[in-house]
Each structure stands twice: as structure tokens, then as C-alpha cells.
Amino acid sequence: MTDRPLTLMAVHAHPDDEATGTGGVLARYAAEGIRTVLVTCTDGGCGDGPGGVKPGDPGHDPAAVALMRRQELEASCDVLKVSDLEMLEYADSGMMGWPSNDAPGSFWQTSVEEGAARLAELMRHYRPDVVVTYDENGFYGHPDHIQAHRITMAALEMTALTPKVYWTTMPRSMMQRFGEIMREFHPDMPEPDPAEAAAMAEIGLPDDEITTWVDTTAFSGQKFDALAAHASQGENIFFLRMGKERFGELMGMETFVRVQDATGAAVPENDLFAGLR
């Protein structure tokens, strides 16, 4: 036996990602006395600037945006009661195909070995029992999400640790529901072209392929407030437009695919720490 606390480590790409996919589990497990460690890989400098100025537009200052987003991230962590925040501070690579993908120092241009070595040091320090990150496509193809996946899986190989490992996902049934809600909020939204619609249909997983369904309904208010803490990116955070009550109804379940496990806990499971306590 050891006095070391059970520990959850979530590895995310940008400030605000922690709230969207894992805000519920971070808040829930913190409330249960589990140490929660958030690793944010990039500085978020390709986000919107003050007044909504977009990356690449006159007046957009990535360094100033990164500082603002760090402050917002710290506020989000306070809301979610995150125990430890670690920032790797790579430059935000922007969306796939942006010129910033090729910028020296961007996360996308960083070697997997370098990023993994830094993350492995954090893993050895915190010794997480559960690690959460994205799947190999970064859930929706964002280069920094893909890179976060790559360095996480490589870092695990560099260590002798055997945590339960999960990739965030979403059931296709919920993705369909979100599409309906988006059209409700934007009735004049044009139908996507067939290629875009086909790509969207591949996001997430069939419900029966999801291994882990964690009910975080009781913490949906904290999750909403954590997202709201990223006020500078509010234009891009669709979920905030729902209002807190409806958000809680729709976002109370967080879903994952378990990809590494030494506990033998049966799936489907309703707890990332099943088999560990």
C-alpha cells in the first residue's frame, strides 16, 4: 500500500480543451479526492484576440493572445478544482492547413520524441493511475490534437508505468443530436457538402464501441463555468449558447474508449478508476 493519491492525468492540446471533453471528469474526480493533473501542450496563440480579432488579421498578436489564454486556463482550472496544471507551452499550430502549421517551434513541427520525453518526465513525477488524451485523429483532425495523442502514447512507452489509458470520444447518437441542436440555433445554416457531411459522420464512434460512460451530470455547472472562463474564445464555443440548464441536460455524460488496462475491470464501465479502488 502507498500514501500516494490516486491520480488522473489529462493531456490536452489547447487552453479550453480541458473543459470541453473532460471538464466533467476533472470536476467529479477532484470532488472525490483524486489528484487531477492537466497537461496543456500549446499556448493557444492561434485563438481569437481581444475584440474577436482572428489569427492572421491585422492586430492579432499571438504572444498577447497566449498570455490572455493562460490566465483563462488558470481560471478554468480553479473552477474545476484541478490539482496541478502543467503547460508545455509549444506554439499553437492552428487548424490543419494553416501557415502556422509550418512555423518553427509550433507543436506540429516539434518532434514526437522531444515532446514525449518532456511528458514522460511529468508522468514519472505524478505517476498517474489514469491517463486521458485524444485518439490518433485528434477526434476531429486538428494537428495539435493529433500531436498530443502521439506524444502521450510515446511517453507511455518511455516509462515503466501501466496506467489505464483512455481516448476521448463521443457516441454517434450524440453527434447527431448536436447537429440537430446546431440547426436549431442556426436555422439558416446551409447543409454541408457531401464530402464534409461524410467526414462529420466519421467523427465519434458507434454507441456500442464506447467502453466507458461517466456520468458527470452533477458537475455540469462547473463544466459550463469552466468553458465560460475562456471568454476570449466564446465565439468559437458553441456549447455556451445553450445556456447552463440545457447544457447540463446534454453534456452530463462524458465518454471514452479504454485502450490500455491492467486491472481487468469489465467493460462497459462507468468509472475511469474502475478496478483501482
Side-chain angles (χ1 to χ4, degrees):
M1 296 297 290
T2 176
D3 292 332
R4 184 181 64 82
L6 283 172
T7 300
L8 165 65
M9 176 180 282
V11 183
H12 281 292
H14 311 98
D16 76 22
D17 290 332
E18 80 291 338
T20 305
T22 57
V25 292
L26 287 169
R28 170 179 162 168
Y29 290 122
E32 293 179 6
I34 288 170
R35 179 170 61 177
T36 52
V37 180
L38 171 63
V39 180
T40 301
C41 296
T42 80
D43 61 10
C46 286
D48 288 357
V53 61
K54 303 297 182 185
D57 287 351
H60 187 276
D61 180 352
V65 171
L67 176 60
M68 175 178 62
R69 297 197 71 185
R70 182 185 182 105
Q71 293 167 345
E72 292 176 340
L73 177 60
E74 290 170 350
S76 171
C77 287
D78 285 344
V79 170
L80 298 173
K81 309 301 182 188
V82 169
S83 308
D84 299 271
L85 170 62
E86 300 282 354
M87 294 194 70
L88 300 185
E89 296 188 317
Y90 290 109
D92 189 341
S93 309
M95 299 296 286
M96 189 67 81
W98 287 13
S100 49
N101 294 174
D102 300 321
S106 72
F107 192 34
W108 190 236
Q109 290 299 314
T110 299
S111 74
V112 170
E113 292 75 15
E114 177 194 324
R118 293 182 61 194
L119 183 56
E121 283 301 304
L122 293 175
M123 289 180 174
R124 294 185 188 104
H125 174 71
Y126 288 107
R127 303 185 65 80
D129 301 281
V130 171
V131 172
V132 175
T133 192
Y134 315 102
D135 63 19
E136 58 266 75
N137 191 46
F139 184 61
Y140 69 100
H142 193 297
D144 288 331
H145 290 228
I146 294 169
Q147 191 75 327
H149 162 86
R150 290 173 177 171
I151 73 163
T152 301
M153 303 312 292
L156 287 163
E157 290 187 6
M158 291 178 179
T159 72
L161 303 174
T162 57
K164 297 179 79 176
V165 180
Y166 294 89
W167 297 343
T168 59
T169 191
M170 191 169 288
R172 294 264 170 84
S173 60
M174 190 178 294
M175 289 297 299
Q176 181 178 351
R177 180 69 180 127
F178 282 147
E180 294 168 357
I181 293 167
M182 288 186 73
R183 284 188 288 274
E184 177 186 327
F185 278 84
H186 302 283
D188 55 349
M189 184 172 69
E191 288 293 324
D193 64 51
E196 184 180 341
M200 288 293 292
E202 292 300 312
I203 294 177
L205 288 174
D207 293 34
D208 60 1
E209 292 183 19
I210 292 172
T211 64
T212 311
W213 304 69
V214 184
D215 185 355
T216 63
T217 305
F219 303 92
S220 59
Q222 279 176 262
K223 181 173 177 173
F224 184 93
D225 290 343
L227 273 171
H230 296 281
S232 69
Q233 309 306 305
E235 182 181 331
N236 303 317
I237 303 176
F238 164 75
F239 303 112
L240 294 176
R241 302 175 201 175
M242 298 181 185
K244 186 174 284 189
E245 182 175 350
R246 191 161 191 198
F247 177 89
E249 294 170 358
L250 295 167
M251 300 292 287
M253 186 71 70
E254 292 185 349
T255 50
F256 307 86
V257 173
R258 193 175 81 189
V259 295
Q260 177 175 302
D261 171 64
T263 70
V267 293
E269 59 187 359
N270 59 12
D271 179 7
L272 298 179
F273 288 84
L276 293 169
R277 56 180 178 172

